[in-house]
Amino acid sequence: MSERTLVLIKPDAVRRGLVGEVLGRFERKGLTIEAMNLRSVDTALADEHYAEHLEQPWYPGLRDFITSGPLVALVLSGDQAISVVRGLLGATDGRKAAAGTIRGDYSLSNQQNLAHASDSPESAAREIKIWFPEA
Ligand SMILES: Nc1ncnc2c1ncn2[C@@H]1O[C@@H]2COP(=O)(O)O[C@H]2[C@H]1O
């Protein structure tokens, strides 16, 4: 069943010149880019996107990071896109993510982990509305 999912290629990936590498993996898998833009994020947008994490002790650090430079927001579509994209990313903590996944190959952090992807159809709908209200 075709699904849509929201992906953020985070500021660490932009700074490190890894946008093409990350995007290429999604494209080569067969996913379709439905919408995409490079943008800066203010604290209000960060708080809205990460609403479920606001009370976490590590959230202030995550907010500083996600607002620290431009990121690439995109909507991907494809068969079971939500779980497929999370599989391509690997575990949240790059130190624990399996080799061969995006985080497993390029991240040594549980915060600066290169990309975010929606974890359920409900979060995909909520997040797509936040980042691409016109979609
Ligand atoms: N223990 C943690 N310390 C710092 N950041 C975290 C921790 N756990 C999760 N995160 C961050 O919180 C984010 C929530 O969803 P993401 O997929 O964007 O990726 C996660 C990480 O960037």
Side-chain angles (χ1 to χ4, degrees), residues 10 50 53 58 62 92 103 110-111 113 116:
K10 295 181 181 182
Y50 283 127
H53 299 309
W58 42 260
L62 176 61
T92 300
R103 290 167 173 158
N110 61 1
Q111 180 194 79
N113 59 359
H116 162 88

Side-chain angles (χ1 to χ4, degrees), residues 41-132:
V41 177
D42 61 18
T43 56
L45 179 57
D47 290 355
E48 189 179 6
H49 175 74
Y50 283 127
E52 66 181 311
H53 299 309
L54 292 184
E55 304 306 320
Q56 295 291 340
W58 42 260
Y59 182 68
L62 176 61
R63 179 168 50 196
D64 286 349
F65 162 58
I66 208 72
T67 60
S68 67
L71 56 69
V72 177
L74 60 149
V75 177
L76 292 175
S77 69
D79 193 24
Q80 297 185 30
I82 294 169
S83 63
V84 166
V85 170
R86 287 181 69 85
L88 291 173
L89 287 184
T92 300
D93 187 335
R95 294 163 296 194
K96 298 182 179 136
T101 64
I102 292 167
R103 290 167 173 158
D105 287 352
Y106 297 114
S107 169
L108 272 175
S109 168
N110 61 1
Q111 180 194 79
Q112 303 201 17
N113 59 359
L114 300 165
H116 162 88
S118 309
D119 63 7
S120 67
E122 294 72 31
S123 62
R126 187 185 78 85
E127 293 171 0
I128 290 170
K129 209 174 287 178
I130 291 171
W131 292 89
F132 294 94

